[in-house]
Amino acid sequence: MASSEDALPTYGLYIDGGEVPSASGAHFPTDDPYTNQPWARIARGNADDVNRAVAAAQRAFESGPWPRMTATQRGQLLRKLGDLLALHAPRLGEIERRDNGKLAIEVTPQIRYLADYVHYYAGLADKVQSEVIPSDKQGVFAYTKHEAKGVVAIITPWNSPLALTTWKLAPALAAGCTVVVKPSEYTSASMVEFAKLFAEAGFPSGVVNVVTGFGQEVGEPLVTHPQVAHVGFTGGEGSGRKIYELAARDFKTVTLELGGKSPNIVFDDADLDQAVKGVIAGIFAASGQTCIAGSRLLVQAGIHDAFVQRLVEFMSTARMGDPALPDTQIAPIATRPQFEKILSYIEIAKGEGAHCALGGKPWLAPSGGLFVEPTIFTGVHNRMRIAQEEVFGPVLAVIPFVDVEDAIAIANDVPYGLAAGVWTRDLRRVMVMTDRLKAGTVWVNNYRSTSFTSPFGGYKRSGVGRESGTEAIREYLHTKCVWISSDLEVANPFGRR
C-alpha cells in the first residue's frame, strides 16, 4: 500500500537541461513550517548525481553553443530569464513560502525584485572592461583579458533560497561560467522550479544544474570535485569553514557569505520613532532568520529605558500566524533544528543573567507550526554568549553605551563584521562611525537595504569576497595578461628583458 508521502508533489534533480530522478531513486520529505507537516518530496542526490551534474556543466563550458556566445548574447539570455522570473514570481513565491514559512508579503516581492537583479547582470555581461597596460619595456604591447573560471558550485541556505542563489548565479552566468547548485535540503523545491526557466529562456543544456540532497552526500562531493573551479556559499560559519578548508586542498577560489552579530546603534539625538521601526525591521522581520539581522541593539544610556519601552510596546502587538495572510507580521521558524537552537539561546541568556523584557518562549500555533515569540533581552553585556554568538532568530540583545568611543568599542568587539546600523542626526558622528565600524555594510538611518548595484559581504568571520554590484562578476573571472612583441629580433635569451 502506498504511503501518504507518495501522494505529495515530487521534485527531481535538474541535470543537463531537464528534470531527472536521483541515481538512487530515493526521496526525502520537506516540511511546511506553518503546519509542521510534509508538503512535498525531494530527490535525494548523492556523489553519482554530483558527477553527472558537474560533467554536464563541464561539457557545456567547453563545447556547444555556450562558450561560442559573445558576452552580449549571454546578456540577452539573462534578460529573457529575468522576464520569466518576474512572470513566475507569484508561483515561485508560493513554493518558497510553503518550504520555509516566509511571509507572502515579503517573499513574492523579493523574488520579483530578483528579476531586476538578473537584468542588471544581463547589462553588465558585456561591460567587463580589459585594459591596455602602459609598459616600461620597449617593443612590447601588454593588455589584460578576463576569462570565465569554469564550473561554479553554488551552495545556499534555507532562509532566502532563490535570492541567495541568484546573487551568485547571475554574475557567474554573466561571466560565462556554468553552475551546479546545491540548495538547502530544507528548501529545495523552489530552486528546481526555477531551474526549469533556464531552458525556457534558451540557455543551452548543462549550463545550469541542480542537485538536491544533504551536505555529506552532495555538498562535500561537489566542493571537492576536481572539475569545480569556484565555490560560492552562503550559510553558517561552521559549514563555511569546512567548505573553505575543502576548497583549499585544490586551491579553488571561494566566495563565502557567513554569519553576523550586527549592531544597530541608536544615539540620543536620533529620530526615535524612525529608529524604533528600523530596529524592528533589523531583527524581527523574517523572524530574525537573516544573516544581516541587527541582533545587538546598542542604545545610548540616556534614552535606554524609554527606547526599550517603545520597542516592547510596539512588538507586544505583533501578529503571529499564517504566513500566507497579508496581515501576519511574524512568520514561523523555518526548521525544527533552528527552532530548538533559538529556544536554547533564550535559556542561555536567562542563565547568564539577562532580563527578558518581552517574549522568551515558543508560541503555540493552532496549526502546529514552529513559532518563537519576539524576544527582547535587557541587562546584556558584550561578553555574554547572547551578545557574541549568532542566534538567527527573533531575539534582540540590548546593550547600553555611553558615547561614540564606547559604541565603537562594543560594536566591533565580536568575531563578525557583516553589517551595522547607525541612527543619528549628527553628520560628524555619521562620518566617524562609518569610518571606524568594522563591517562590510553600514546603514545610516535605515536598515536592511540591499541592491543589485551595491557590493555586499563581510569582515572577519562574516566571509570572504563580495556579492552584488560590479565587484561580484570579477569573483567568477580570471585575469590574464597578454604580452605581444613588435621587435623583429628576440633579445639576448640569457638576460632578463
Side-chain angles (χ1 to χ4, degrees):
M1 180 179 295
S3 70
S4 59
E5 284 189 6
D6 293 336
L8 298 175
T10 299
Y11 291 89
L13 314 177
Y14 190 87
I15 297 176
D16 210 11
E19 190 171 3
V20 297
S22 63
S24 68
H27 295 84
F28 60 93
T30 184
D31 292 345
D32 180 339
Y34 177 60
T35 64
N36 202 21
Q37 296 295 322
W39 78 273
R41 298 195 312 155
I42 306 297
R44 184 167 183 166
N46 59 27
D48 292 335
D49 299 305
V50 170
N51 290 337
R52 282 196 293 162
V54 175
Q58 186 68 26
R59 283 195 305 272
F61 181 73
E62 292 180 341
S63 60
W66 183 250
R68 295 197 299 269
M69 286 183 181
T70 64
T72 301
Q73 290 171 324
R74 292 197 303 270
Q76 290 167 347
L77 290 184
L78 282 167
R79 170 66 60 177
K80 293 177 183 177
L81 177 68
D83 293 343
L84 289 170
L85 190 53
L87 180 66
H88 290 273
R91 180 175 64 88
L92 293 171
E94 170 65 14
I95 293 170
E96 195 154 295
R97 181 192 63 75
R98 292 288 302 274
D99 238 2
N100 76 349
K102 210 179 213 16
L103 294 178
I105 60 171
E106 178 183 9
V107 67
T108 300
Q110 182 184 61
I111 293 174
R112 190 176 288 114
Y113 183 67
L114 293 180
D116 295 338
Y117 201 102
V118 175
H119 287 155
Y120 175 81
Y121 285 100
L124 190 61
D126 59 2
K127 297 172 184 65
V128 177
Q129 303 290 329
S130 298
E131 61 180 346
V132 175
I133 302 170
S135 176
D136 63 340
K137 311 296 181 186
Q138 294 292 328
V140 292
F141 172 70
Y143 66 93
T144 61
K145 60 184 299 187
H146 303 289
E147 298 178 347
K149 287 183 177 179
V151 178
V152 172
I154 296 175
I155 302 175
T156 50
W158 43 259
N159 57 321
S160 292
L162 291 188
L164 296 174
T165 299
T166 304
W167 284 23
K168 301 161 185 57
L169 189 146
L173 295 178
C177 296
T178 57
V179 302
V180 179
V181 181
K182 189 273 178 200
S184 167
E185 59 270 25
Y186 293 106
T187 53
S188 298
S190 59
M191 187 60 227
V192 176
E193 287 293 335
F194 180 31
K196 298 174 185 177
L197 300 183
F198 287 86
E200 189 174 346
F203 281 80
S205 296
V207 172
V208 175
N209 308 271
V210 180
V211 182
T212 56
F214 296 87
Q216 287 188 329
E217 298 170 0
V218 175
E220 188 166 334
L222 182 56
V223 172
T224 58
H225 196 288
Q227 289 182 311
V228 167
H230 179 91
V231 182
F233 172 78
T234 298
E237 178 189 343
S239 297
R241 180 181 290 107
K242 184 173 183 180
I243 286 171
Y244 207 2
E245 291 170 350
L246 291 173
R249 294 177 185 176
D250 292 321
F251 301 98
K252 297 176 183 180
T253 56
V254 299
T255 46
L256 304 173
E257 196 268 279
L258 307 177
K261 198 66 187 173
S262 301
N264 213 346
I265 307 165
V266 181
F267 286 92
D268 57 12
D269 71 326
D271 183 326
L272 298 188
D273 289 335
Q274 300 308 310
V276 165
K277 290 188 286 186
V279 169
I280 288 169
I283 184 60
F284 296 120
S287 296
Q289 298 170 110
T290 170
C291 55
I292 55 177
S295 55
R296 288 186 302 150
L297 170 60
L298 278 57
V299 186
Q300 198 155 16
I303 61 169
H304 176 277
D305 293 351
F307 193 80
V308 170
Q309 183 178 350
R310 289 190 187 204
L311 280 178
V312 170
E313 290 174 355
F314 194 114
M315 288 309 300
S316 295
T317 64
R319 292 182 294 275
M320 293 178 280
D322 187 347
L325 299 179
D327 61 346
T328 300
Q329 296 170 317
I330 304 296
I333 305 305
T335 76
R336 177 164 289 280
Q338 187 60 28
F339 173 75
E340 293 172 351
K341 175 186 174 183
I342 294 167
L343 294 180
S344 72
Y345 268 102
I346 288 173
E347 294 308 310
I348 288 169
K350 292 176 181 177
E352 289 180 321
H355 170 66
C356 188
L358 181 71
K361 60 183 184 298
W363 180 64
L364 300 178
S367 64
L370 306 172
F371 287 82
V372 174
E373 293 179 347
T375 299
I376 298 174
F377 282 105
T378 59
V380 177
H381 62 75
N382 211 44
R383 296 270 58 83
M384 290 181 175
R385 290 181 63 186
I386 197 72
Q388 289 287 315
E389 299 175 16
E390 186 177 45
V391 177
F392 217 72
V395 180
L396 179 64
V398 185
I399 305 171
F401 68 89
V402 177
D403 54 22
V404 167
E405 292 299 321
D406 194 30
I408 292 169
I410 295 170
N412 289 338
D413 187 21
V414 287
Y416 302 103
L418 191 57
V422 177
W423 299 85
T424 181
R425 292 185 174 99
D426 187 325
L427 181 58
R428 179 181 178 279
R429 185 180 285 160
V430 167
M431 301 305 294
V432 171
M433 296 298 291
T434 55
D435 281 349
R436 294 177 61 187
L437 286 169
K438 303 300 183 185
T441 297
V442 180
W443 293 290
V444 178
N445 297 328
N446 71 108
Y447 203 92
R448 278 188 93 211
S449 299
T450 59
S451 171
F452 45 83
T453 64
S454 303
F456 180 81
Y459 290 21
K460 300 184 280 187
R461 294 186 189 176
S462 286
V464 176
R466 290 296 181 267
E467 298 186 319
S468 301
T470 58
E471 292 187 33
I473 197 170
R474 297 189 181 275
E475 300 282 357
Y476 302 96
L477 292 165
H478 287 304
T479 298
K480 177 182 288 184
C481 188
V482 179
W483 293 75
I484 300 175
S485 174
S486 60
D487 283 351
L488 297 178
E489 294 186 12
V490 175
N492 181 352
F494 297 103
R496 183 176 178 181
R497 183 163 187 172

